[in-house]
Each structure stands twice: as structure tokens, then as C-alpha cells.
Amino acid sequence: MPLITYGLALISLLFAGPLLALAASKPVPGEAVLVIGPGTAARAEMIEAAGGRVRGPEDARFGALALSDNDDFAAALLERGAWFVVDGRRVAFLCGVDA
């Protein structure tokens, strides 16, 4: 196998653990969530329609941190077209910010 194949396999293994941990993290009601979904404007409308507010970043291509006091906020986001909704505190921690 070429050296590039080994390099790509190693990089994939290094990123697989953190990505799986994020994907498996369940949102906590009342805490920040990471909303992954289509475009900035559509995502902001989706978050507001689900009863939440955007916490930041305002112009991220696929994701935004959002807050809501609704217990079913994550389910409401998924019903309105979000691709994924995960625990935003973990993402904020990895990015070095306080959610």
C-alpha cells in the first residue's frame, strides 16, 4: 500500500473518536445545543420556530449553538429540518469557549 493510504488511515482514526463522541452526545434540556443544518438564514428561522435563540456563531456554514428552555427543543429542531442536534457544551469545550 502506498504511504499516503497509511497516512489517511491514521488521520481517520485520530478524528473518529472525537467525532463519534460528539455524535453520541445527547442534548441536555435548557443547555446549549449544536444545531447542524442547512444555510445560516434557514437555520436561524428553524431555531426560532422551535422556540430557541441562536447563541453563535452568526455566520457558520453548517452549525450554530442555540439555547431554549423547552424540554423538547432538540426534537422540535429535528422536525423542522435540522440534520443533527448534539450537546453544545461538548463542542464549546473543544473550541475553548464557555457555553
mmCIF file of all heavy atoms in Angstrom, residues 57-85:
data_model
loop_
_atom_site.group_PDB
_atom_site.id
_atom_site.type_symbol
_atom_site.label_atom_id
_atom_site.label_comp_id
_atom_site.label_asym_id
_atom_site.label_seq_id
_atom_site.Cartn_x
_atom_site.Cartn_y
_atom_site.Cartn_z
ATOM 1 N N PRO A 57 -22.067 30.693 16.419
ATOM 2 C CA PRO A 57 -21.646 31.873 15.663
ATOM 3 C C PRO A 57 -22.714 32.251 14.641
ATOM 4 O O PRO A 57 -23.471 31.403 14.177
ATOM 5 C CB PRO A 57 -20.369 31.428 14.971
ATOM 6 C CG PRO A 57 -20.467 29.951 14.871
ATOM 7 C CD PRO A 57 -21.305 29.505 16.054
ATOM 8 N N GLU A 58 -22.784 33.505 14.297
ATOM 9 C CA GLU A 58 -23.833 34.010 13.416
ATOM 10 C C GLU A 58 -23.682 33.556 11.965
ATOM 11 O O GLU A 58 -24.659 33.428 11.258
ATOM 12 C CB GLU A 58 -23.866 35.541 13.469
ATOM 13 C CG GLU A 58 -24.257 36.086 14.829
ATOM 14 C CD GLU A 58 -25.692 35.758 15.211
ATOM 15 O OE1 GLU A 58 -26.537 35.675 14.309
ATOM 16 O OE2 GLU A 58 -25.950 35.584 16.402
ATOM 17 N N ASP A 59 -22.454 33.354 11.496
ATOM 18 C CA ASP A 59 -22.272 33.079 10.072
ATOM 19 C C ASP A 59 -21.562 31.755 9.784
ATOM 20 O O ASP A 59 -20.861 31.640 8.798
ATOM 21 C CB ASP A 59 -21.525 34.228 9.409
ATOM 22 C CG ASP A 59 -20.142 34.436 10.003
ATOM 23 O OD1 ASP A 59 -19.844 33.843 11.050
ATOM 24 O OD2 ASP A 59 -19.351 35.195 9.410
ATOM 25 N N ALA A 60 -21.748 30.771 10.620
ATOM 26 C CA ALA A 60 -21.153 29.454 10.368
ATOM 27 C C ALA A 60 -21.905 28.772 9.233
ATOM 28 O O ALA A 60 -23.114 28.908 9.110
ATOM 29 C CB ALA A 60 -21.208 28.600 11.626
ATOM 30 N N ARG A 61 -21.196 28.036 8.418
ATOM 31 C CA ARG A 61 -21.811 27.444 7.228
ATOM 32 C C ARG A 61 -22.849 26.371 7.572
ATOM 33 O O ARG A 61 -23.913 26.327 6.979
ATOM 34 C CB ARG A 61 -20.739 26.843 6.336
ATOM 35 C CG ARG A 61 -21.339 26.262 5.075
ATOM 36 C CD ARG A 61 -20.395 26.009 3.953
ATOM 37 N NE ARG A 61 -19.553 27.089 3.557
ATOM 38 C CZ ARG A 61 -19.873 28.026 2.663
ATOM 39 N NH1 ARG A 61 -21.063 28.014 2.125
ATOM 40 N NH2 ARG A 61 -19.022 28.957 2.329
ATOM 41 N N PHE A 62 -22.552 25.466 8.494
ATOM 42 C CA PHE A 62 -23.465 24.352 8.744
ATOM 43 C C PHE A 62 -23.929 24.216 10.188
ATOM 44 O O PHE A 62 -24.776 23.397 10.467
ATOM 45 C CB PHE A 62 -22.825 23.022 8.329
ATOM 46 C CG PHE A 62 -22.652 22.888 6.855
ATOM 47 C CD1 PHE A 62 -21.400 22.899 6.293
ATOM 48 C CD2 PHE A 62 -23.751 22.766 6.029
ATOM 49 C CE1 PHE A 62 -21.231 22.780 4.930
ATOM 50 C CE2 PHE A 62 -23.603 22.654 4.659
ATOM 51 C CZ PHE A 62 -22.334 22.658 4.104
ATOM 52 N N GLY A 63 -23.376 24.961 11.142
ATOM 53 C CA GLY A 63 -23.736 24.754 12.524
ATOM 54 C C GLY A 63 -23.897 26.038 13.309
ATOM 55 O O GLY A 63 -23.349 27.072 12.949
ATOM 56 N N ALA A 64 -24.669 25.953 14.383
ATOM 57 C CA ALA A 64 -24.859 27.078 15.286
ATOM 58 C C ALA A 64 -25.156 26.542 16.676
ATOM 59 O O ALA A 64 -25.789 25.492 16.826
ATOM 60 C CB ALA A 64 -26.005 27.962 14.821
ATOM 61 N N LEU A 65 -24.702 27.259 17.678
ATOM 62 C CA LEU A 65 -25.087 26.952 19.049
ATOM 63 C C LEU A 65 -26.418 27.645 19.316
ATOM 64 O O LEU A 65 -26.618 28.795 18.919
ATOM 65 C CB LEU A 65 -24.038 27.440 20.039
ATOM 66 C CG LEU A 65 -22.737 26.653 20.065
ATOM 67 C CD1 LEU A 65 -21.721 27.345 20.967
ATOM 68 C CD2 LEU A 65 -22.975 25.243 20.556
ATOM 69 N N ALA A 66 -27.323 26.960 19.979
ATOM 70 C CA ALA A 66 -28.638 27.512 20.256
ATOM 71 C C ALA A 66 -29.041 27.181 21.689
ATOM 72 O O ALA A 66 -28.567 26.197 22.262
ATOM 73 C CB ALA A 66 -29.664 26.963 19.283
ATOM 74 N N LEU A 67 -29.933 28.005 22.237
ATOM 75 C CA LEU A 67 -30.451 27.810 23.590
ATOM 76 C C LEU A 67 -31.968 27.837 23.571
ATOM 77 O O LEU A 67 -32.572 28.559 22.774
ATOM 78 C CB LEU A 67 -29.954 28.918 24.523
ATOM 79 C CG LEU A 67 -28.480 28.949 24.840
ATOM 80 C CD1 LEU A 67 -28.127 30.247 25.550
ATOM 81 C CD2 LEU A 67 -28.106 27.773 25.700
ATOM 82 N N SER A 68 -32.569 27.090 24.468
ATOM 83 C CA SER A 68 -34.012 27.110 24.652
ATOM 84 C C SER A 68 -34.335 26.508 26.009
ATOM 85 O O SER A 68 -33.607 25.654 26.511
ATOM 86 C CB SER A 68 -34.721 26.310 23.561
ATOM 87 O OG SER A 68 -36.119 26.286 23.809
ATOM 88 N N ASP A 69 -35.427 26.951 26.583
ATOM 89 C CA ASP A 69 -35.889 26.384 27.847
ATOM 90 C C ASP A 69 -36.863 25.230 27.621
ATOM 91 O O ASP A 69 -37.278 24.575 28.572
ATOM 92 C CB ASP A 69 -36.567 27.468 28.693
ATOM 93 C CG ASP A 69 -35.577 28.528 29.136
ATOM 94 O OD1 ASP A 69 -34.392 28.191 29.339
ATOM 95 O OD2 ASP A 69 -35.985 29.699 29.269
ATOM 96 N N ASN A 70 -37.232 24.980 26.362
ATOM 97 C CA ASN A 70 -38.165 23.897 26.037
ATOM 98 C C ASN A 70 -37.491 22.538 26.209
ATOM 99 O O ASN A 70 -36.386 22.324 25.717
ATOM 100 C CB ASN A 70 -38.656 24.026 24.597
ATOM 101 C CG ASN A 70 -39.395 25.317 24.356
ATOM 102 O OD1 ASN A 70 -39.832 25.968 25.288
ATOM 103 N ND2 ASN A 70 -39.522 25.688 23.102
ATOM 104 N N ASP A 71 -38.172 21.631 26.873
ATOM 105 C CA ASP A 71 -37.631 20.277 27.067
ATOM 106 C C ASP A 71 -37.549 19.493 25.768
ATOM 107 O O ASP A 71 -36.714 18.608 25.623
ATOM 108 C CB ASP A 71 -38.486 19.500 28.081
ATOM 109 C CG ASP A 71 -38.294 20.017 29.498
ATOM 110 O OD1 ASP A 71 -37.280 20.688 29.764
ATOM 111 O OD2 ASP A 71 -39.160 19.741 30.335
ATOM 112 N N ASP A 72 -38.428 19.812 24.814
ATOM 113 C CA ASP A 72 -38.445 19.082 23.553
ATOM 114 C C ASP A 72 -37.798 19.871 22.411
ATOM 115 O O ASP A 72 -38.114 19.666 21.245
ATOM 116 C CB ASP A 72 -39.877 18.688 23.186
ATOM 117 C CG ASP A 72 -40.778 19.898 23.006
ATOM 118 O OD1 ASP A 72 -40.390 21.010 23.421
ATOM 119 O OD2 ASP A 72 -41.861 19.740 22.430
ATOM 120 N N PHE A 73 -36.877 20.759 22.734
ATOM 121 C CA PHE A 73 -36.228 21.628 21.748
ATOM 122 C C PHE A 73 -35.502 20.819 20.673
ATOM 123 O O PHE A 73 -35.644 21.095 19.481
ATOM 124 C CB PHE A 73 -35.262 22.583 22.467
ATOM 125 C CG PHE A 73 -34.602 23.588 21.573
ATOM 126 C CD1 PHE A 73 -35.346 24.377 20.710
ATOM 127 C CD2 PHE A 73 -33.240 23.772 21.613
ATOM 128 C CE1 PHE A 73 -34.740 25.320 19.897
ATOM 129 C CE2 PHE A 73 -32.620 24.719 20.807
ATOM 130 C CZ PHE A 73 -33.369 25.494 19.946
ATOM 131 N N ALA A 74 -34.744 19.815 21.073
ATOM 132 C CA ALA A 74 -33.994 19.007 20.102
ATOM 133 C C ALA A 74 -34.943 18.301 19.137
ATOM 134 O O ALA A 74 -34.714 18.289 17.923
ATOM 135 C CB ALA A 74 -33.109 17.990 20.824
ATOM 136 N N ALA A 75 -36.014 17.739 19.651
ATOM 137 C CA ALA A 75 -36.985 17.058 18.789
ATOM 138 C C ALA A 75 -37.660 18.054 17.845
ATOM 139 O O ALA A 75 -37.873 17.753 16.664
ATOM 140 C CB ALA A 75 -38.031 16.344 19.636
ATOM 141 N N ALA A 76 -37.967 19.254 18.341
ATOM 142 C CA ALA A 76 -38.596 20.275 17.503
ATOM 143 C C ALA A 76 -37.659 20.712 16.380
ATOM 144 O O ALA A 76 -38.100 20.956 15.252
ATOM 145 C CB ALA A 76 -38.996 21.471 18.357
ATOM 146 N N LEU A 77 -36.369 20.806 16.678
ATOM 147 C CA LEU A 77 -35.394 21.169 15.646
ATOM 148 C C LEU A 77 -35.313 20.097 14.566
ATOM 149 O O LEU A 77 -35.288 20.401 13.371
ATOM 150 C CB LEU A 77 -34.018 21.383 16.271
ATOM 151 C CG LEU A 77 -33.848 22.663 17.078
ATOM 152 C CD1 LEU A 77 -32.574 22.605 17.901
ATOM 153 C CD2 LEU A 77 -33.838 23.875 16.157
ATOM 154 N N LEU A 78 -35.281 18.837 14.975
ATOM 155 C CA LEU A 78 -35.215 17.736 14.014
ATOM 156 C C LEU A 78 -36.470 17.692 13.138
ATOM 157 O O LEU A 78 -36.390 17.434 11.943
ATOM 158 C CB LEU A 78 -35.001 16.410 14.739
ATOM 159 C CG LEU A 78 -33.637 16.258 15.411
ATOM 160 C CD1 LEU A 78 -33.613 15.029 16.308
ATOM 161 C CD2 LEU A 78 -32.522 16.200 14.375
ATOM 162 N N GLU A 79 -37.630 17.983 13.729
ATOM 163 C CA GLU A 79 -38.876 18.011 12.965
ATOM 164 C C GLU A 79 -38.877 19.133 11.929
ATOM 165 O O GLU A 79 -39.522 19.029 10.893
ATOM 166 C CB GLU A 79 -40.075 18.195 13.899
ATOM 167 C CG GLU A 79 -40.392 16.980 14.723
ATOM 168 C CD GLU A 79 -41.480 17.258 15.744
ATOM 169 O OE1 GLU A 79 -42.049 18.384 15.752
ATOM 170 O OE2 GLU A 79 -41.764 16.360 16.547
ATOM 171 N N ARG A 80 -38.146 20.204 12.213
ATOM 172 C CA ARG A 80 -38.119 21.374 11.321
ATOM 173 C C ARG A 80 -36.969 21.336 10.315
ATOM 174 O O ARG A 80 -36.735 22.304 9.620
ATOM 175 C CB ARG A 80 -38.071 22.640 12.151
ATOM 176 C CG ARG A 80 -39.404 22.934 12.801
ATOM 177 C CD ARG A 80 -39.328 24.065 13.792
ATOM 178 N NE ARG A 80 -40.645 24.418 14.297
ATOM 179 C CZ ARG A 80 -41.318 23.731 15.207
ATOM 180 N NH1 ARG A 80 -40.799 22.614 15.698
ATOM 181 N NH2 ARG A 80 -42.497 24.124 15.630
ATOM 182 N N GLY A 81 -36.216 20.237 10.280
ATOM 183 C CA GLY A 81 -35.212 20.090 9.230
ATOM 184 C C GLY A 81 -33.758 20.085 9.658
ATOM 185 O O GLY A 81 -32.882 20.059 8.802
ATOM 186 N N ALA A 82 -33.474 20.105 10.953
ATOM 187 C CA ALA A 82 -32.080 20.009 11.386
ATOM 188 C C ALA A 82 -31.537 18.635 11.040
ATOM 189 O O ALA A 82 -32.250 17.642 11.115
ATOM 190 C CB ALA A 82 -31.968 20.243 12.895
ATOM 191 N N TRP A 83 -30.287 18.577 10.634
ATOM 192 C CA TRP A 83 -29.670 17.303 10.288
ATOM 193 C C TRP A 83 -29.251 16.553 11.540
ATOM 194 O O TRP A 83 -29.462 15.363 11.651
ATOM 195 C CB TRP A 83 -28.475 17.514 9.385
ATOM 196 C CG TRP A 83 -28.817 18.173 8.080
ATOM 197 C CD1 TRP A 83 -30.039 18.166 7.445
ATOM 198 C CD2 TRP A 83 -27.946 18.938 7.260
ATOM 199 N NE1 TRP A 83 -29.955 18.879 6.278
ATOM 200 C CE2 TRP A 83 -28.684 19.362 6.135
ATOM 201 C CE3 TRP A 83 -26.619 19.310 7.361
ATOM 202 C CZ2 TRP A 83 -28.120 20.139 5.130
ATOM 203 C CZ3 TRP A 83 -26.058 20.078 6.354
ATOM 204 C CH2 TRP A 83 -26.808 20.481 5.255
ATOM 205 N N PHE A 84 -28.624 17.265 12.482
ATOM 206 C CA PHE A 84 -28.180 16.695 13.755
ATOM 207 C C PHE A 84 -28.358 17.740 14.846
ATOM 208 O O PHE A 84 -28.233 18.933 14.590
ATOM 209 C CB PHE A 84 -26.691 16.309 13.743
ATOM 210 C CG PHE A 84 -26.323 15.306 12.703
ATOM 211 C CD1 PHE A 84 -25.707 15.695 11.530
ATOM 212 C CD2 PHE A 84 -26.580 13.959 12.894
ATOM 213 C CE1 PHE A 84 -25.354 14.778 10.565
ATOM 214 C CE2 PHE A 84 -26.232 13.029 11.935
ATOM 215 C CZ PHE A 84 -25.622 13.438 10.763
ATOM 216 N N VAL A 85 -28.632 17.284 16.059
ATOM 217 C CA VAL A 85 -28.662 18.153 17.233
ATOM 218 C C VAL A 85 -27.897 17.420 18.319
ATOM 219 O O VAL A 85 -28.280 16.318 18.710
ATOM 220 C CB VAL A 85 -30.108 18.447 17.693
ATOM 221 C CG1 VAL A 85 -30.100 19.344 18.920
ATOM 222 C CG2 VAL A 85 -30.920 19.067 16.574
#
